[in-house]
Amino acid sequence: MNSNDHPDLTAFALGELDAEHSEAMAQWIAENPSARAEADATTTLGERLRHTAPPANLRLHPQQRAALLNGPQRVRQLVAAASQGSKRRPSTLRVIVTSIGRMAAAAALIIGGFLAGTHFANRNAPAIASTKPAPPEATKTKAPSSEAPVAPFRAKEITSPALAEAAPAPAPVVVAKSKPAPAPKAATPAPVTVAFAPPSTLQEPAKSAMPKTRILNHAFVSTSKATLSHATLLPAETRFVSPKSEALSAAAKLPATVKTIEPAPRTKQPELRIHSWKAEVASCPWNEAHRLVRLTLQIPSEQESPNTRYPLQVSFDPNYVRSFRQLSQRTIAASAADAPAFHILWFEFQPNGQAINATREAKMIGSVTIPNALFTTPAAGPFDSTRLQIVDRGTAWTAAREDFLFETAVAGFGLLLKGENHSPALNHSLVLKLAQHAAIDDDRTGERAKFIKLVEDARQMAGL
Amino acid sequence: MPAPSPSSESDALVREAMGLYESQLIAYAANILAGDIERARDVVQDTFLRLFQADPTRVRENLKAWLYTVCRNRALDVLRKDHRLDLGDEDKILSFTDHRPDPSQSSDTSELYDRAWTLLEQLSKNQQEVIRLKFHHDCSYKDIARITGLSMGNVGFLMHVGLKKLRTLLTEELSEHSN
């Protein structure tokens, strides 16, 4: 912030400084033409805002006015009666009926839970076998093959880096296993065995810990079946890494090993500090019937608890969204020690019914929730820092911001590389068109030009 | 001559407050409630009802700030009940350095300034609020601080950043207009 970019200069221009400060500021800007120009611009804008302020000519309804102006005594009586009424004790009959209802609901839940658990356990017997207790030593984490004949992942696959790298990875690798505690004496927390694999194989925490509605393989999920999409944010991935420390950490990389750690005592999860967050919605360039959502979180690179994985839940309103899928999720680490980092999620969704267009009223189509989020800057009033609404204003992709367009091109290229579940309209030409449209003005780092070259090369190599 | 009873004093104060601030408060509440005028009317009626119950001698001194504070809190209560409360803090993402000429330096911008209140919608909620209170409801920084519960420094900062961003948005409109 330079000297011309200071709240006091704005306060001076709006006549909000006290006499002493105002005099000092007047002397200073008399010697500083650029500051004077800044103050004049602010004053002009303020005057125009006052001049063009929308007229306030709405009144209360006649009956509302009459209630206030003609019947103040009656109003007081009503207010008093209302406050007394709210303190009235509920009737005995109501208490009994409510209690019976609660007991019935509890019984239904218990029976339903038991039946569902029995059914689920029978259907997934082989998978359960793979989670049988195993000794903490690395060489013993491999379950006997007779006990787990169809276990999807074997401990051996993640204890050897060579195997982990060479093996095809059609599905996420399970990197953590916890000892189940079927015996009653397991009330004492058992040690947790964690296998540390190279970063390329580390994808997610334990598979069993992930929500069932997690989106995989970019498939669309109907909101009649699931309205939530779950993601996580790990602040350690957003940290600025200087070239020197990066070299040191690369040299210190160790092959995958298995360690035994004691479970930490349960404590309250620390807060995730965020500078700001934003949700943008625009039409989908490769499918006219679909729309795209970009969620951007700007966070400080240094967090109180960098190794805590924070849940990030995206909920879609079935009234406006028929189905959705997560296209990508990425973290952009801070470019300097004091610079912010970004966490970005992309979704594609199919609107329920006719798509919202720009001439219609904006609609709230969903929300994003991070339970422990806290803004780094003070907010006005008791606004909720843990929940962000996703509002669709009917914006067309042609009217979207350039960075939105460019990232749309990147997300589209990602879909092309995966080669599945995308519209025929999505091709290299469309990706290039989007990227080139966005790269006209703002390509300070040259990244956009590199991406365009990459896509052109890919198209040429594919013979298209 | 007997001293005026508290109730007659309250009645007079409510009449005075309605005469001065009824429309302004409805506009203010409607902004918080995303343009829902009927709910805004209910909120303002409730605000005046609370004025009946308040101590006139204590309220009269800061009548305007008191009314706006109560009105704001009631409107936020309504939003909370509807689960519609959010903070779109987009400052950091949208902010960028702009070296194009300021719209105030252009002679062909009088029409453009009329768009300023529309462009205000693109600012964060808290910036919109302080700018509306300042230029639509003619509140001082001190009043705004009382109404919103912010410190004077925070009000000044939000006003500064909000007006700068508004100028940037106007500049963008101007460049599009000239193209």
Side-chain angles (χ1 to χ4, degrees), chain A residues 286 404-414 430-432 434-435 451:
Chain A
W286 52 83
F404 185 97
L405 277 185
F406 182 75
E407 288 196 20
T408 304
V410 177
F413 191 52
L430 179 63
V431 171
L432 279 173
L434 290 168
F451 176 75

Side-chain angles (χ1 to χ4, degrees), chain A residues 1 4-12 14-16 37-61 63-73 75-76 79-80 83 274-280 294 296-298 342 361 364 375-385 387-391 393 401 403 444, chain B residues 6-8 10-11 14-15 18-19 22-24 26-27 30 34 37-38 40-42 44-45 48-49 52-53 72-73 76 79-80 83-94 96-97 102 104-105 109-111 113-114 116-117 120-121 125-126 129-132 134-136 138-142 148 150 152-154 156-161 163-164 166-167 170:
Chain A
M1 187 179 283
N4 292 346
D5 186 12
H6 196 279
D8 280 356
L9 190 58
T10 301
F12 171 78
L14 300 178
E16 287 286 352
E38 187 73 18
D40 287 346
T42 303
T43 306
T44 305
L45 178 60
E47 285 172 358
R48 294 299 305 192
L49 280 169
R50 277 202 184 88
H51 186 67
T52 58
N57 48 16
L58 291 166
R59 295 269 172 175
L60 294 174
H61 288 304
Q63 57 269 37
Q64 288 175 318
R65 291 178 64 80
L68 288 167
L69 294 173
N70 302 328
Q73 296 299 334
V75 165
R76 280 196 201 89
V79 169
S83 58
I274 57 176
H275 285 320
S276 60
W277 54 355
K278 182 183 181 187
E280 295 164 280
R294 178 175 71 164
T296 310
L297 276 89
Q298 192 185 42
F342 293 89
E361 193 182 347
M364 197 188 91
F375 284 117
T376 51
T377 51
F383 290 105
D384 190 354
S385 64
R387 191 163 173 267
L388 170 73
Q389 291 177 347
I390 306 172
V391 178
R393 295 185 168 84
R401 286 157 24 113
D403 57 333
R444 295 168 199 163
Chain B
S7 63
S8 65
S10 292
D11 295 350
V14 170
R15 284 172 188 275
M18 286 178 67
E22 179 187 347
S23 299
Q24 293 283 334
I26 292 173
I37 291 167
E38 289 310 311
R41 283 190 170 110
D42 290 341
V44 172
Q45 188 191 23
F48 289 129
L49 280 176
F52 270 123
Q53 296 175 298
R72 179 178 189 271
N73 289 339
L76 292 176
L79 284 185
R80 261 188 227 105
H83 305 291
R84 288 194 291 155
L85 196 59
D86 90 305
L87 175 62
D89 189 353
E90 302 169 349
D91 305 349
K92 304 282 181 180
I93 293 171
L94 279 177
F96 59 91
T97 309
D102 190 274
S104 65
Q105 295 168 17
T109 56
S110 58
E111 285 179 17
Y113 271 119
D114 295 341
W117 285 100
L120 193 68
E121 302 285 337
K125 298 276 186 199
N126 46 18
E129 183 167 36
V130 296
I131 289 174
R132 281 185 207 284
K134 174 72 183 165
F135 300 108
H136 193 183
D138 205 25
C139 293
S140 65
Y141 276 20
K142 196 175 174 183
T148 58
L150 292 167
M152 291 266 283
N154 281 342
F157 179 77
L158 286 170
M159 186 73 72
H160 173 71
V161 175
L163 289 180
K164 269 194 87 78
L166 195 56
R167 280 168 55 195
L170 283 164

